[in-house]
């Protein structure tokens, strides 16, 4: 399997550095922490390493993913409220 976590951090670091971002080492470590080294659902399905989401009423390029909050709201509306 190899060093996939190390490769993830290295790849994000090199990408951030090539884009001229300040503190690419912090960008890479934050991406690793927030996305479980790229393994989170939102990272896998939407290439979103930082878990940034649009809230209701906000506009922008986005992909809808069922998260815990939406699930709980749906559960409440469908099953708990007659």
């Amino acid at each position: 399997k190899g060093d996939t976590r190390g490769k993830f951090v290295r790849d994000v670091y090199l990408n951030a550095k090539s884009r001229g971002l300040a503190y690419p080492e912090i960008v890479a470590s934050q991406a690793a922490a927030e996305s479980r080294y790229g393994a989170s659902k939102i990272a896998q399905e939407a290439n979103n390493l930082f878990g940034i989401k649009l809230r209701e009423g906000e506009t922008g390029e986005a992909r809808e993913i069922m998260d815990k909050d939406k699930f709980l709201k749906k559960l409440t509306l469908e099953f708990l409220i007659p």
Side-chain angles (χ1 to χ4, degrees):
K1 189 173 182 178
D3 184 17
T4 56
R5 288 182 175 185
K7 181 180 178 339
F8 175 86
V9 172
R10 223 176 358 268
D11 288 349
V12 174
Y13 170 82
L14 292 173
N15 186 287
K17 188 173 180 182
S18 73
R19 292 170 183 262
L21 298 179
Y23 311 108
E25 63 280 359
I26 294 174
V27 172
S29 62
Q30 190 68 28
E34 292 200 28
S35 70
R36 290 187 347 263
Y37 295 91
S40 70
K41 181 177 180 178
I42 196 167
Q44 293 290 312
E45 293 183 8
N47 198 30
N48 184 339
L49 301 180
F50 299 98
I52 298 170
K53 303 176 215 171
L54 288 179
R55 291 180 174 85
E56 281 188 44
E58 292 181 330
T59 59
E61 188 176 327
R63 173 185 254 171
E64 187 168 348
I65 293 179
M66 180 68 75
D67 63 4
K68 180 178 75 172
D69 295 331
K70 284 184 182 178
F71 176 77
L72 292 174
K73 184 176 181 181
K74 182 178 180 178
L75 179 71
T76 301
L77 292 175
E78 290 183 2
F79 300 107
L80 301 179
I81 297 176

